[in-house]
Amino acid sequence: MPAQPVLILGGFLITEEAYQPMCSWLRQQTQQPVELVPANRFDWLLTSWAWGWRRLLDRAAAQAEALAARSATGKVTLIGHSSGGVMLRLFLADEAFAGRTYNGKRWADRLYTLGSPHTAVRATPLRQMVDRRYPGACFADQVHYISVAGALGEADGSALSQRMAPGSYQAIAGRRDLEGDGLVPVQSALLRGAEPITLPGVAHGGAFGARWYGTPEVVQQWWRG
């Protein structure tokens, strides 16, 4: 696929510095602009409400439009980590949400989701809404979806991952004995209809294991251009 600018929306409560190694690797690989949607912990705490989602997606829209205008292809590549991947599925849609219509498809033709909880037994109302209104790779005729899941082995995860994983998998998928990245089980992270990528030994974030989706050597495994 031709190189084009990249826009990243991170995950819940994860600060921007965690994504800098990924950004640096992508800039070197693509020789293209790579930007993060600005989001601090306060911004993420507000995403319990629709207007909190809108705050972040408004920023994503402004950045995507500006990057697309500079792109040789006229498009950008979107990357969403964890909750960010679910939010970017909504961003692609051309129906109104919280008083905004984003239609991110006009600017983006690729979406990577990294450890995103696409389906869950006990999803938040907003995540349930996304999966109900835009199930699976809903806009696959216009956007190439790639969903990436981590599958930690017993020796791969941190102490935090080992404590949290069973309860998190139970809440998300209804079972404790599943493969996953220490927070999100593989079956939830692999979006129906997307190109699936499962990476052994890869954790949800740096607190969950030494190698996570944003580790440059791991980025190299899931990046398709």
Side-chain angles (χ1 to χ4, degrees), residues 102-114:
Y102 295 107
N103 191 21
K105 301 184 297 299
R106 57 186 156 161
W107 303 308
D109 61 359
R110 305 171 201 162
L111 170 60
Y112 290 84
T113 66
L114 312 176

Side-chain angles (χ1 to χ4, degrees), residues 59-200:
R59 296 173 193 175
Q63 290 175 269
E65 183 176 19
L67 287 169
R70 300 160 57 190
S71 172
T73 65
K75 299 287 187 178
V76 303
T77 295
L78 300 174
I79 299 174
H81 175 225
S82 196
S83 295
V86 180
M87 294 173 72
L88 289 177
R89 289 169 59 198
L90 172 65
F91 177 69
L92 295 173
D94 53 10
E95 297 178 343
F97 167 76
R100 297 283 195 274
T101 301
Y102 295 107
N103 191 21
K105 301 184 297 299
R106 57 186 156 161
W107 303 308
D109 61 359
R110 305 171 201 162
L111 170 60
Y112 290 84
T113 66
L114 312 176
S116 296
H118 293 302
T119 58
V121 174
R122 293 189 296 183
T124 65
L126 287 167
R127 289 177 183 170
Q128 288 178 339
M129 178 272 294
V130 171
D131 211 45
R132 182 178 66 253
R133 290 171 59 175
Y134 312 108
C138 188
F139 305 108
D141 59 330
Q142 300 171 69
V143 177
H144 181 198
Y145 292 73
I146 304 100
S147 60
V148 185
L152 288 173
E154 289 186 10
D156 297 323
S158 66
L160 175 66
S161 170
Q162 292 169 10
R163 288 197 306 271
M164 288 190 62
S168 182
Y169 298 168
Q170 177 71 37
I172 292 174
R175 285 179 52 190
R176 300 169 68 88
D177 58 336
L178 296 171
E179 280 194 317
D181 61 14
L183 189 68
V184 177
V186 170
Q187 65 187 60
S188 176
L190 295 182
L191 181 66
R192 186 174 72 256
E195 178 183 345
I197 301 174
T198 301
L199 301 177

Side-chain angles (χ1 to χ4, degrees), residues 28 32 34 49 51 53 72 118 129 137 141 172 190 198 219:
Q28 184 175 20
Q32 295 288 315
V34 177
W49 299 274
W51 56 272
W53 279 43
H118 293 302
M129 178 272 294
D141 59 330
I172 292 174
L190 295 182
T198 301
V219 180

